Amino acid sequence: MANFQRLILLILFLCLIINNVNPYKFVESEKDAAIISRNLVKEFGIGTLVTIMNHHEKKDVRGYPFGLFDYFTDDCPSTGNPLLLLSDWQKSIQNARGNDWKASLMIRKLSNNDTFFPFAEPRLNLFGHLERVSEDEVANVQKCFLDKHPRARGWLPGGGHMFYFYRFIVHDIYFVGGFGNEHYIGYIDSELYHKVDPDGSTYINHNCNEEVEVEQVRWMNMQHP
């Protein structure tokens, strides 16, 4: 009986393929992608800050992208402009200072679930510039940041190593929702990104087993030979 049921499911799946119907297809708009992006910025607090190696570095590495992960949190109140606690001794700050403070921040979902499939999950790259948070904002920003990252208490401004809070002002967003033909992939209008609110309503949790993962990849390869 079990073998017969598997045969029926296989036949149905083949019929979907023959008729060019994707059984895993989701309809995701640019607005959905903007909301998911804001959710990622609000929910996850570790990202990869990327800058360009400046002319003070050794010649062999000048001009190369340089990325290291850093703590961040959403702005207070939420605007989609992440807040970071960075030291003036860091390569990232030294590089940004020599390049009009330009940087990018890569953010993705993190999970310890055994069925977590990162390539099916949303991720984004924020393009923008860094601005040091003004003194009159530090107390409020500090509280928000420590609520997200209590272990960062030892790095607060005034505690040594020249740490300061920076606001990452987002100019452009590139979003990958997951596999192509299933999710939105492309640029998100920055005005739309800042306008929407992070509410979690369109956040899709792709905890899939290996069988589903294989079928998703197979479908993607068929659509993009």
Side-chain angles (χ1 to χ4, degrees):
M1 183 66 180
N3 290 335
F4 177 75
Q5 290 176 332
R6 291 193 186 96
L7 179 61
I8 295 298
L9 288 173
L10 178 61
I11 293 172
L12 288 172
F13 186 78
L14 290 173
C15 287
L16 289 171
I17 292 177
I18 292 171
N19 289 281
N20 199 34
V21 176
N22 184 352
Y24 305 107
K25 188 173 182 66
F26 296 90
V27 177
E28 199 168 79
S29 68
E30 183 180 358
K31 183 177 180 180
D32 293 332
I35 296 173
I36 294 172
S37 297
R38 291 290 302 274
N39 289 337
L40 286 171
V41 171
K42 190 169 184 65
E43 294 174 19
F44 297 95
I46 298 178
T48 301
L49 184 64
V50 180
T51 54
I52 300 298
M53 295 295 275
N54 64 51
H55 66 278
H56 295 298
E57 299 297 333
K58 67 177 187 175
K59 187 176 181 180
D60 291 346
V61 300
R62 294 174 190 171
Y64 277 92
F66 174 84
L68 290 176
F69 70 84
D70 271 295
Y71 282 158
F72 74 87
T73 187
D74 197 0
D75 208 349
C76 297
S78 175
T79 64
N81 291 327
L83 297 167
L84 299 103
L85 180 57
L86 304 171
S87 168
D88 278 4
W89 292 357
Q90 288 182 234
K91 289 290 185 191
S92 302
I93 289 295
Q94 294 170 10
N95 289 335
R97 184 184 290 113
N99 191 30
D100 296 325
W101 295 99
K102 292 178 182 177
S104 66
L105 183 65
M106 192 278 284
I107 302 169
R108 67 180 183 90
K109 182 182 176 184
L110 303 170
S111 174
N112 292 324
N113 195 307
D114 290 339
T115 61
F116 179 66
F117 186 26
F119 287 101
E121 297 290 345
R123 58 269 196 193
L124 68 150
N125 194 90
L126 303 177
F127 300 88
H129 74 275
L130 295 167
E131 288 184 0
R132 186 180 292 185
V133 171
S134 61
E135 289 295 329
D136 59 339
E137 293 183 90
V138 167
N140 180 56
V141 164
Q142 180 171 296
K143 182 182 184 304
C144 292
F145 199 88
L146 289 180
D147 285 345
K148 188 77 170 179
H149 303 292
R151 290 185 174 182
R153 187 172 299 278
W155 312 328
L156 295 177
H161 300 289
M162 299 178 68
F163 274 94
Y164 300 95
F165 284 107
Y166 286 86
R167 181 173 283 113
F168 188 102
I169 307 299
V170 177
H171 300 303
D172 284 290
I173 308 96
Y174 190 82
F175 178 86
V176 178
F179 290 118
N181 292 338
E182 296 180 17
H183 303 285
Y184 185 87
I185 296 178
Y187 289 98
I188 297 172
D189 180 76
S190 59
E191 184 176 345
L192 174 63
Y193 169 82
H194 287 290
K195 181 179 179 181
V196 299
D197 293 318
D199 59 11
S201 62
T202 59
Y203 193 83
I204 300 170
N205 184 16
H206 297 271
N207 286 323
C208 56
N209 58 38
E210 186 175 353
E211 182 179 350
V212 173
E213 175 183 329
V214 169
E215 294 303 334
Q216 285 186 324
V217 174
R218 181 182 301 167
W219 178 266
M220 179 184 68
N221 290 336
M222 289 178 61
Q223 298 301 302
H224 303 281

